[in-house]
Amino acid sequence: MVRDQVADFSVEYVQALDEEGDLDAAQAPDVDDDQLVEMYRLMRLSRRADERAIALQRRGESGTYAPAIGQEAAQVGSAIAMTPDEWMVPSFRESAAFLTRGAPFHRLLWYAMGMEEGAEVADANFPPAIPVGTQPLHAAGIGWGHEIAGERKAALTYFGDGATSEGDVYEAMNVSGALDAHAVFFCQNNQWAISTPRETQTRAETLAQKAVAAGIEGVQVDGNDVLGVLSVARDALESAREGDPVFVEALTFRRSMHTTSDDPSVYRTEEQESEWETRDPIVRFEAYLRNEGLLDDDRVDRITDEIEELLADEIDRAKAGREQVVPAEMFDHVFAETPPELQRQRETFEREQGDGEVASAEEGMSGEERAAGGEVSGRGDVREERETSEDEEVSGRGE
């Protein structure tokens, strides 16, 4: 049987900064010295923030947390390429991207502490998505909206290698290609879908080639090379702003646990971890900046001190906010109008929690009054007071 070849494709790989910190100028993005040092500070801030968040969880002061240790270059390099008004649509492991986009650390902690305020949509950042691979659909919708509105903007969504085995991710890429959605699909291939290694999850040689089936561009980049990631992300966003979506596969490694609820030593070896330790994104970038004369021991120490002071303030602020939480608020944000069954659950919860303040406020209120929003107004007052207190605290620190 004679067969004709009807399709051919290739996937490009990009690396600007190698493991020794040597730069390939042809792949390097245009970045001034101040921006280079700021990228380094953000990577250091992210790693230290994750370490502090893990410690809080271990002491029982926070809930489950998903650290991004080892993935700082992939997130900082891509997030810094976006404009402030372009939407970021993250999964649950994007602490570095959130911090790069200006989100305060206490909000990330609030999310881990179970506070609704930690999941609020703010500054063009979607809240973290817990279901694996659902959020790319949101980015496709936003990107299609930009196309319809004729806006020269793009949405960037983050997900992991495990999510590429989910149908939602392919559907998001396919509809984006068909409708010229302004979307960038940024996959952090950190080698593990929880405990499932990359090589047993798919027979595909690369994850970037999954873009081929959707008819969009796919490119692979060294995800531990912040300059390479920035270069690729800039190009991808520029293409997406013109209605040509792009899939980016950033090769990296999750150096810590999937979340604070698991133990990676059960499913991977010390040899695997040691191999990737030599490719650490921060060590590599710091070596480059020192060679360029942009960092020395004194400046590194100053950055370290500033980060410690900032995180200490943010953790204090997170704890102060948590003390004002009304746990029953979690029922308020599920439906626009609370259905009877959920209202019954809420009342049971309040009885079991012994929430005297809320229960007292609702005494004498009829079911119709509660359904009309009377109770929501009451809690709204609590939230307003809380936000006022936080604003005052910010002002105090700023002065």
Side-chain angles (χ1 to χ4, degrees):
M1 178 182 295
V2 177
R3 296 184 177 183
D4 294 327
Q5 182 173 339
V6 295
D8 188 18
F9 69 90
S10 63
V11 175
E12 292 185 344
Y13 172 77
V14 175
Q15 182 189 63
L17 200 62
D18 67 17
E19 286 80 356
E20 285 71 41
D22 295 325
L23 185 69
D24 178 352
Q27 301 290 350
D30 182 17
V31 187
D32 65 35
D33 292 349
D34 290 340
Q35 289 176 309
L36 288 170
V37 175
E38 175 61 8
M39 291 164 66
Y40 170 78
R41 188 192 70 85
L42 288 167
M43 293 168 69
R44 289 280 312 278
L45 171 64
S46 172
R47 180 161 299 187
R48 187 61 181 143
D50 280 351
E51 292 170 348
R52 296 296 304 270
I54 293 171
L56 288 170
Q57 191 277 333
R58 295 296 191 241
R59 292 199 298 268
E61 297 183 87
S62 175
T64 303
Y65 186 82
I69 295 173
Q71 300 179 214
E72 295 89 353
Q75 295 187 23
V76 171
S78 53
I80 209 167
M82 303 175 69
T83 60
D85 62 343
E86 290 184 316
W87 284 96
M88 177 183 77
V89 188
S91 74
F92 48 80
R93 195 187 305 287
E94 269 68 71
S95 54
F98 269 109
L99 293 172
T100 301
R101 301 264 295 168
F105 183 52
H106 73 266
R107 283 198 177 273
L108 304 185
L109 291 179
W110 279 351
Y111 184 82
M113 291 173 175
M115 292 173 58
E116 302 292 341
E117 288 82 352
E120 288 183 343
V121 176
D123 302 324
N125 298 326
F126 262 46
I130 298 299
V132 174
T134 57
Q135 71 279 8
L137 293 164
H138 303 154
I142 296 169
W144 186 26
H146 289 323
E147 170 67 13
I148 293 171
E151 298 171 328
R152 200 175 180 285
K153 296 194 294 186
L156 186 148
T157 181
Y158 291 100
F159 49 91
D161 43 303
T164 64
S165 297
E166 297 283 347
D168 286 353
V169 175
Y170 170 72
E171 291 161 14
M173 291 195 294
N174 187 64
V175 75
S176 292
L179 300 175
D180 301 329
H182 299 200
V184 174
F185 300 90
F186 195 93
C187 172
Q188 294 174 84
N189 177 1
N190 67 14
Q191 314 301 318
W192 295 91
I194 307 182
S195 59
T196 302
R198 154 73 177 85
E199 59 269 20
T200 62
Q201 185 191 155
T202 175
R203 288 181 65 177
E205 185 174 356
T206 72
L207 300 182
Q209 69 197 60
K210 296 192 175 189
V212 175
I216 67 176
E217 180 187 359
V219 60
Q220 192 180 72
V221 62
D222 181 345
N224 284 11
D225 163 17
V226 69
L227 296 179
V229 171
L230 174 58
S231 180
V232 167
R234 278 181 176 175
D235 289 347
L237 286 163
E238 192 61 24
S239 178
R241 291 171 190 134
E242 296 295 329
D244 294 317
V246 179
F247 179 102
V248 177
E249 177 190 3
L251 287 171
T252 183
F253 187 77
R254 166 168 50 85
R255 294 193 58 193
S256 55
M257 66 286 286
H258 171 68
T259 69
T260 47
S261 63
D262 88 336
D263 176 7
S265 68
V266 174
Y267 54 81
R268 69 187 187 199
T269 66
E270 292 183 2
E271 288 75 17
Q272 289 172 315
E273 295 178 355
S274 297
E275 177 188 350
W276 279 92
E277 185 176 359
T278 63
R279 309 181 200 177
D280 186 274
I282 297 178
V283 172
R284 180 190 311 190
F285 194 42
E286 182 174 324
Y288 168 72
L289 295 179
R290 285 179 180 270
N291 289 338
E292 292 296 307
L294 298 176
L295 280 183
D296 55 24
D297 289 345
D298 288 342
R299 193 164 192 184
V300 169
D301 288 344
R302 287 200 302 274
I303 290 172
T304 300
D305 292 343
E306 290 170 3
I307 287 173
E308 293 298 333
E309 183 177 358
L310 171 64
L311 292 181
D313 287 346
E314 287 292 300
I315 290 171
D316 287 345
R317 188 175 182 188
K319 291 179 179 178
R322 181 183 57 186
E323 291 173 357
Q324 301 177 55
V325 164
V326 178
E329 277 188 347
M330 64 181 170
F331 292 93
D332 298 342
H333 307 289
V334 182
F335 295 97
E337 296 183 6
T338 305
E341 172 57 23
L342 198 61
Q343 180 60 35
R344 185 193 64 76
Q345 293 181 26
R346 186 186 198 285
E347 292 168 354
T348 300
F349 175 82
E350 288 171 352
R351 283 197 300 273
E352 293 180 350
Q353 292 294 310
D355 192 338
E357 180 180 352
V358 175
S360 175
E362 294 173 357
E363 286 180 0
M365 187 180 291
S366 68
E368 290 181 354
E369 288 171 332
R370 283 196 294 270
E375 61 181 27
V376 174
S377 297
R379 286 194 298 280
D381 292 341
V382 173
R383 173 170 293 189
E384 184 176 345
E385 291 173 4
R386 188 185 314 160
E387 290 177 345
T388 300
S389 175
E390 290 158 6
D391 290 341
E392 291 171 349
E393 185 180 346
V394 170
S395 300
R397 282 209 306 276
E399 293 170 357

